[in-house]
């Protein structure tokens, strides 16, 4: 075996088998969603991820029962009224993000799915359910994070304009002003949102020197991650207090 293979086995034994439940998001396809919906509606979609049934993509109350969600369930998931839940589902159905199959709802696997990934693996990012559900934030703040998913770099989890760049020197990281343009918010409101998200631990930051304009935004890899296995030492250190 090569040194790399031996090291991989050592790490696997140390960390154990990864049994976390997660859904896949197609980073390129969800731009159809993020560019057309408000942050609050995007947050509602993100909050549906732990309720996607494996292989069928039907939205269920929980994995143990497999019971399809009702409007009452959705209202609880979103911490909203039944009227709001109906309105949101109507909009998601109109945009073919969710399908009403007569008594059950199914999320479009063009955007999100739970099954073995076969094609376009490089375009996928995982959302881990247990970690996501620990965060108590507004739907709008969840949606802010959702709108960043198409921009997560593979190796670093940093938000950048070219998340599929392979060479580090080719990565063009996004600053707060550029992130404001992506999420469709004023720069001042974007800074406030990022501050809340950093305090919650769902995002972090790296600084390139002392210049605050060179602050890089990083997503928590215990919640969203493109690579297999556990994050590297640098990412683990950055989110040590928020690892699940």
């Amino acid at each position: 075996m090569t040194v790399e293979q031996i090291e991989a086995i050592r790490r696997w034994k140390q960390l154990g088998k990864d049994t976390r439940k997660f859904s896949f998001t197609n980073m390129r396809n969800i731009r159809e969603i993020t560019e057309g919906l408000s942050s609050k509606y995007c947050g509602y979609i993100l909050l549906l991820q732990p309720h996607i049934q494996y292989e069928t993509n039907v939205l269920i109350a929980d994995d143990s029962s497999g019971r399809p969600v009702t409007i009452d369930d959705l209202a609880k998931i979103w911490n909203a009224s039944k009227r709001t839940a109906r309105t949101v589902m109507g909009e998601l159905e109109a945009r073919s993000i969710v399908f009403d199959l007569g008594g059950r709802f199914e999320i479009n696997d063009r955007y999100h799915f739970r099954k073995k990934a076969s094609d376009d693996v490089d375009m996928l990012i995982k959302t881990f359910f247990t970690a996501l559900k620990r965060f108590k934030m507004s739907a709008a703040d969840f949606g802010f994070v959702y709108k960043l998913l198409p921009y997560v770099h593979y190796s670093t989890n940093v938000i950048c304009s070219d998340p599929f760049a392979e060479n580090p020197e080719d990565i063009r990281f996004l600053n707060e002003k550029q992130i404001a343009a992506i999420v469709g918010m004023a720069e001042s409101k974007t800074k406030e949102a990022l501050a809340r998200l950093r305090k919650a631990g769902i995002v972090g930051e790296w600084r390139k020197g002392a210049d605050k304009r060179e602050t890089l935004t990083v997503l928590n890899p215990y919640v969203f991650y493109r690579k297999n296995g556990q994050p590297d030492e640098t990412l683990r250190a950055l989110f040590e207090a928020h690892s699940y």
Side-chain angles (χ1 to χ4, degrees), residues 150-168:
Y151 303 92
V152 180
H153 187 257
Y154 182 81
S155 299
T156 63
N157 248 40
V158 173
I159 303 304
C160 62
S161 62
D162 45 359
F164 304 105
E166 296 182 2
N167 299 319

Side-chain angles (χ1 to χ4, degrees), residues 142-200:
F142 276 117
F144 185 106
V145 177
Y146 184 89
K147 288 193 172 189
L148 299 181
L149 295 185
Y151 303 92
V152 180
H153 187 257
Y154 182 81
S155 299
T156 63
N157 248 40
V158 173
I159 303 304
C160 62
S161 62
D162 45 359
F164 304 105
E166 296 182 2
N167 299 319
E169 60 270 18
D170 295 332
I171 303 172
R172 291 167 295 179
F173 300 110
L174 297 177
N175 57 31
E176 290 181 345
K177 182 177 182 180
Q178 293 165 320
I179 289 175
I182 288 173
V183 298
M185 291 173 58
E187 189 174 354
S188 59
K189 293 295 184 182
T190 298
K191 289 181 178 180
E192 292 173 4
L194 285 171
R196 289 194 302 273
L197 297 172
R198 285 193 291 267
K199 184 177 180 180

Side-chain angles (χ1 to χ4, degrees), residues 25-39 41-42 45 91-92 94-99 108-112 120 123 146-151 182:
T25 294
N26 189 300
M27 296 169 61
R28 286 187 171 166
N29 290 347
I30 67 163
R31 292 193 185 202
E32 300 167 10
I33 298 174
T34 59
E35 293 173 2
L37 283 178
S38 68
S39 290
Y41 273 59
C42 286
I45 296 171
E91 183 67 21
L92 299 186
R95 294 175 178 268
S96 296
I97 299 168
V98 172
F99 304 118
N108 191 337
D109 63 5
R110 174 175 174 79
Y111 307 116
H112 305 285
D120 298 328
M123 310 300 168
Y146 184 89
K147 288 193 172 189
L148 299 181
L149 295 185
Y151 303 92
I182 288 173

Side-chain angles (χ1 to χ4, degrees), residues 11-206:
R11 290 186 178 183
W12 184 87
K13 288 181 178 179
Q14 180 181 11
L15 297 171
K17 184 179 179 180
D18 192 345
T19 59
R20 294 174 295 173
K21 294 181 180 179
F22 62 87
S23 62
F24 282 115
T25 294
N26 189 300
M27 296 169 61
R28 286 187 171 166
N29 290 347
I30 67 163
R31 292 193 185 202
E32 300 167 10
I33 298 174
T34 59
E35 293 173 2
L37 283 178
S38 68
S39 290
K40 179 174 284 189
Y41 273 59
C42 286
Y44 290 144
I45 296 171
L46 182 55
L47 288 168
L48 291 178
Q49 299 307 300
H51 299 276
I52 300 174
Q53 187 174 46
Y54 188 72
E55 291 190 334
T56 71
N57 254 40
V58 170
L59 294 174
I60 56 175
D62 56 73
D63 273 333
S64 60
S65 69
R67 178 178 60 80
V69 297
T70 63
I71 291 296
D72 285 336
D73 293 321
L74 292 169
K76 291 178 182 178
I77 292 167
W78 291 333
N79 191 27
S81 66
K82 290 173 63 175
R83 182 179 179 180
T84 296
R86 290 193 188 96
T87 300
V88 173
M89 287 305 288
E91 183 67 21
L92 299 186
E93 290 169 33
R95 294 175 178 268
S96 296
I97 299 168
V98 172
F99 304 118
D100 186 346
L101 304 178
R104 61 177 187 168
F105 299 106
E106 180 180 313
I107 199 160
N108 191 337
D109 63 5
R110 174 175 174 79
Y111 307 116
H112 305 285
F113 63 89
R114 280 185 72 194
K115 60 183 178 181
K116 186 176 180 180
S118 55
D119 301 324
D120 298 328
V121 175
D122 291 343
M123 310 300 168
L124 304 178
I125 184 168
K126 290 171 284 198
T127 299
F128 294 100
F129 300 160
T130 300
L132 180 69
K133 289 189 288 188
R134 287 176 183 254
F135 291 94
K136 307 300 179 184
M137 306 186 305
S138 68
D141 278 350
F142 276 117
F144 185 106
V145 177
Y146 184 89
K147 288 193 172 189
L148 299 181
L149 295 185
Y151 303 92
V152 180
H153 187 257
Y154 182 81
S155 299
T156 63
N157 248 40
V158 173
I159 303 304
C160 62
S161 62
D162 45 359
F164 304 105
E166 296 182 2
N167 299 319
E169 60 270 18
D170 295 332
I171 303 172
R172 291 167 295 179
F173 300 110
L174 297 177
N175 57 31
E176 290 181 345
K177 182 177 182 180
Q178 293 165 320
I179 289 175
I182 288 173
V183 298
M185 291 173 58
E187 189 174 354
S188 59
K189 293 295 184 182
T190 298
K191 289 181 178 180
E192 292 173 4
L194 285 171
R196 289 194 302 273
L197 297 172
R198 285 193 291 267
K199 184 177 180 180
I202 201 165
V203 304
E205 66 176 20
W206 281 330

